[in-house]
Amino acid sequence: MALTPADRGHLDRCVELAREALDDGDEPFGSLLVGPDGAVLFEDRNRVKDGDLTRHPEFEIARWAAAHVPPSERASCVVYTSGEHCAMCSAAHAWVGLGKIVYATSTTQLGSWLSEWGLPAGLVAALSINDVAPGVQVAGPCDELVPVVKSLHGRLHGLT
Ligand code: ZN
C-alpha cells in the first residue's frame, strides 16, 4: 500500500520522537495516534530506561485511547510508528479496537539488523502485527526511512 504525503509527515515525526528517546537514554521508538479527522491526538516515545520494559509508545497509545477515545471512533484512528508493534502492543491495539497501523520499519527488518550485528534476538518472539492481530490493516515499511531508523538502532548498540 502506497504511503500518502500525510502518512510520510506522521512517520517523520515518529522518527523524530525515536531520536529524542535515544538521546534521552531510551530505545529509539516513537509513535503517534491520529484521529478520524487527521489531527494528532497523542504522541509518545519509548521510556524503558528506568526498568519498566513495557513502556512502549504503542502500548501507551492503546491505553490512552481506551481512556479518551469513544469506542465508536477507535477503528477510524490510525497509529503511526517508527518500528512495527511488538506482540504486546499489537495485542493492546487490537483489544482497544484501534484502526490501521502505518510503520516506518518492520519487525523483520529489526530482526535482520540484530542478526547482522551479531546481537541476540529480543526477549519476545518477533511476530508481525498480523501474526498477533490478523484483522488489523497495516502499511509499511517506508523505504526512505529504513536507513534512518537502522542508524538509530545502530547507535543504541554503540555501532554508529
Ligand atoms: Zn511494544
Side-chain angles (χ1 to χ4, degrees), residues 122-148:
L123 298 169
V124 170
L127 303 175
S128 74
I129 292 165
N130 285 148
D131 287 335
V132 178
V136 175
Q137 193 191 346
V138 297
C142 171
D143 294 338
E144 295 90 1
L145 288 175
V146 170
V148 182

Side-chain angles (χ1 to χ4, degrees), residues 15-100:
V15 173
E16 208 173 287
L17 287 162
R19 182 174 288 114
E20 184 187 308
L22 184 64
D23 288 343
D24 200 34
D26 293 296
E27 295 179 356
F29 294 96
S31 314
L32 300 183
L33 176 67
V34 173
D37 63 354
V40 176
L41 299 177
F42 182 76
E43 60 175 38
D44 203 11
R45 45 87 161 178
N46 180 283
R47 299 179 189 278
V48 300
K49 75 172 173 203
D50 293 326
D52 181 353
L53 298 186
T54 69
R55 294 201 63 190
H56 297 183
E58 306 93 328
F59 194 51
E60 211 60 47
I61 281 175
R63 305 206 64 195
W64 188 91
H68 297 95
V69 180
S72 62
E73 287 179 22
R74 291 180 198 162
S76 309
C77 292
V78 180
V79 173
Y80 291 85
T81 188
S82 64
E84 183 178 2
H85 288 42
C86 74
M88 171 185 76
C89 296
S90 297
H93 182 100
W95 286 127
V96 168
L98 289 169
K100 183 173 151 183

